[in-house]
Amino acid sequence: MYRLLPMIKIESVRAVEFTHPTRRSVDAAGHSHPGPLGTGRQALLTIRSADGVEGHCFAPPQVVRPHVLNQFVRRVLVGGDALQRERLWADLEHWQRGSAGQLTDRAMGAVDAALHDLIGRTLGVPVWQLLGGYRDRIPAYGSTMCGDELEGGLSSPEEYADFALQLVEKGYKAIKLHTWMPPVRFAPDPGMDIKACTAVRKAVGPDIALMLDGYHEYSRTDALRIGRALEELDFTWYEEMMNEQSTSSYVWLAQQLHIPLLGPETLSGKHYARAEWVKAGASDILRAGVNGCGGIGPTMKVAHLAESFGMYCEIHGNGAPNLAVCGAIRNSRWYERGLLHPFLDYDEVPAHLNAIIDPMDSEGMVALPTGPGLGEQINFDYIARHTEATY
Ligand code: LLH
Ligand code: MG
């Protein structure tokens, strides 16, 4: 004798675009840095059920723009059953092929996360429990912003070392450096990356786990030079140091180094591309994040793929959907907390939230949220007062 869960019938999909104050500015290569107080823009995607329950996900407005919602997302979702999210995802993927590149993995990721939130909120349970409930807390690593030319910021190896000490003081037991990339004038520079990593290791001692996420377009030989230095410095992993579209370059590097290579992070192709990386021996630790990999569903598939091959899968990026995956799987060692910078307070609650999703304790641990769905505490009043468009 069994009972099916009652259908969670999807009634509507909508997005609101709102503004919020921010001190982050984005450089010509898309990396964020501290900046003057300015105005940021986000969209809140909302999927509403016939019972009046709503699931949400934040996304860049261009990702969930009207064309995407009208042509693909509403056609697939409205009238459907949120509990069939695997089927809905497959139907979206079907539309993706003929969408002329308009239905992106990122759009699918936002829709899939909002669907998970809707299911969790309807059932009154956290998504990380629904997905696997492996743990209720996870160690965080402090993930720095990319290097800059701001005095007192991240403009020299010494400043990375000072900042790393501050992070250890806060409780972090692991730190990842993002080093200098263009448009920083002196970047890329393998020698500077090695100096920064050396200074940080010297400052924090042998017991803090360290990782490097450097310039993403190094040549094989520059990447090898840095990798050999990281081995001397006992780094835990080495991430996205070359263009990830060149699988052969990663295979080449993996064959020369014993430090674990981690990836792919930005490569398109969702779980399919990651399976190819495992087969090719292009990385030792797999990588996927909800935003870039097409959602919570495919990210879980990547994690389970990695587990089946005895590999870790480290989840890319912070935020509620990624944290939910971290709580559900066993083969991720850390949650990526950041991006961090000496001039910015990561713990400051953004105007559109009532609390951050990932407060960290003095032992460097982040607790999984206990609220239903993705557990995001959204400030709907603020968003309503700062909405500029609804679609
Ligand atoms: O500056 C950035 O946005 C980072 O490079 C970003 O891609 C970051 O999320 C990352 O690589 N984390 O591992
Ligand atoms: Mg990265």
Side-chain angles (χ1 to χ4, degrees):
M1 191 52 190
Y2 67 92
R3 265 188 308 150
L4 290 176
L5 286 171
M7 177 182 189
I8 303 176
K9 188 170 179 183
I10 298 168
E11 186 182 82
S12 67
V13 179
R14 68 172 200 285
V16 294
E17 186 174 333
F18 65 93
T19 57
H20 60 91
T22 181
R23 289 187 186 278
R24 287 168 178 73
S25 65
V26 175
D27 69 25
H31 297 297
S32 55
H33 299 279
L37 186 60
T39 301
R41 234 164 236 285
Q42 282 200 63
L44 179 67
L45 178 72
T46 298
I47 304 176
R48 185 182 169 90
S49 74
D51 293 334
V53 182
E54 294 184 336
H56 307 281
C57 182
F58 291 100
Q62 64 276 18
V63 168
V64 291
R65 64 190 187 282
H67 174 77
V68 173
L69 297 188
N70 289 333
Q71 289 301 309
F72 315 112
V73 181
R74 290 194 176 103
R75 282 187 181 179
V76 170
L77 261 64
V78 174
D81 182 357
L83 287 170
Q84 293 186 317
R85 55 175 176 70
E86 182 74 17
R87 187 192 184 103
L88 296 171
W89 191 91
D91 289 349
L92 277 177
E93 193 188 33
H94 185 73
W95 276 97
Q96 187 177 32
R97 186 174 182 281
S99 77
Q102 300 303 301
L103 178 54
T104 58
D105 289 349
R106 284 185 178 264
M108 290 175 64
V111 171
D112 184 67
L115 269 179
H116 278 82
D117 192 43
L118 173 59
I119 295 169
R121 286 176 189 264
T122 303
L123 301 178
V125 262
V127 168
W128 61 270
Q129 273 195 321
L130 278 177
L131 291 175
Y134 179 71
R135 56 185 143 197
D136 59 13
R137 43 192 232 135
I138 180 168
Y141 67 87
S143 188
T144 75
M145 284 188 167
C146 296
D148 50 47
E149 297 175 81
L150 304 166
E151 202 181 322
L154 295 173
S155 71
S156 68
E158 296 71 32
E159 286 174 352
Y160 270 93
D162 290 347
F163 188 44
L165 282 176
Q166 289 173 33
L167 298 181
V168 170
E169 189 69 23
K170 287 203 165 89
Y172 287 103
K173 303 278 189 285
I175 297 168
K176 187 172 84 182
L177 291 78
H178 283 94
T179 42
W180 299 276
M181 318 193 185
V184 168
R185 267 173 304 157
F186 58 82
D189 182 340
M192 281 294 281
D193 285 8
I194 293 169
K195 279 187 190 153
C197 292
T198 306
V200 169
R201 173 54 84 209
K202 213 168 147 193
V204 302
D207 297 331
I208 299 294
L210 295 176
M211 307 82 152
L212 173 66
D213 192 340
Y215 178 51
H216 312 308
E217 304 284 340
Y218 276 123
S219 65
R220 291 185 184 191
T221 44
D222 283 346
L224 179 60
R225 177 182 161 203
I226 299 168
R228 289 204 168 123
L230 298 185
E231 289 178 344
E232 291 293 311
L233 295 167
D234 193 26
F235 268 48
T236 298
W237 78 58
Y238 185 24
E239 174 174 340
E240 208 190 341
M241 71 304 292
M242 299 180 293
N243 191 314
E244 290 182 338
Q245 292 173 96
S246 175
T247 310
S248 301
S249 296
Y250 279 84
V251 175
W252 179 88
L253 193 63
Q255 285 167 353
Q256 326 260 346
L257 292 173
H258 56 78
I259 181 174
L261 302 188
L262 173 140
E265 176 177 299
T266 57
L267 185 66
S268 61
K270 306 184 267 282
H271 47 296
Y272 312 105
R274 283 151 181 88
E276 295 300 333
W277 264 46
V278 175
K279 188 168 172 231
S283 66
D284 305 283
I285 303 172
L286 265 184
R287 184 101 167 133
V290 172
N291 291 342
C293 198
I296 290 176
T299 303
M300 290 294 292
K301 288 176 186 174
V302 175
H304 293 161
L305 166 79
E307 185 189 321
S308 312
F309 281 96
M311 295 170 76
Y312 288 116
C313 176
E314 296 298 340
I315 301 304
H316 169 222
N318 64 345
N322 288 318
L323 184 56
V325 173
C326 287
I329 62 174
R330 65 174 170 168
N331 54 332
S332 169
R333 281 172 292 175
W334 288 284
Y335 167 71
E336 181 169 15
R337 197 166 189 268
L339 301 174
L340 310 176
H341 191 280
F343 295 170
L344 296 169
D345 178 8
Y346 182 83
D347 292 285
E348 190 183 326
V349 181
H352 52 282
L353 296 176
N354 293 320
I356 60 168
I357 193 74
D358 53 2
M360 187 184 81
D361 68 18
S362 59
E363 294 301 304
M365 301 293 288
V366 169
L368 271 295
T370 52
L374 294 171
E376 199 86 278
Q377 296 180 47
I378 300 169
N379 186 338
F380 292 104
D381 288 342
Y382 175 87
I383 292 174
R385 279 185 278 113
H386 294 83
T387 292
E388 301 226 322
T390 304
Y391 27 88

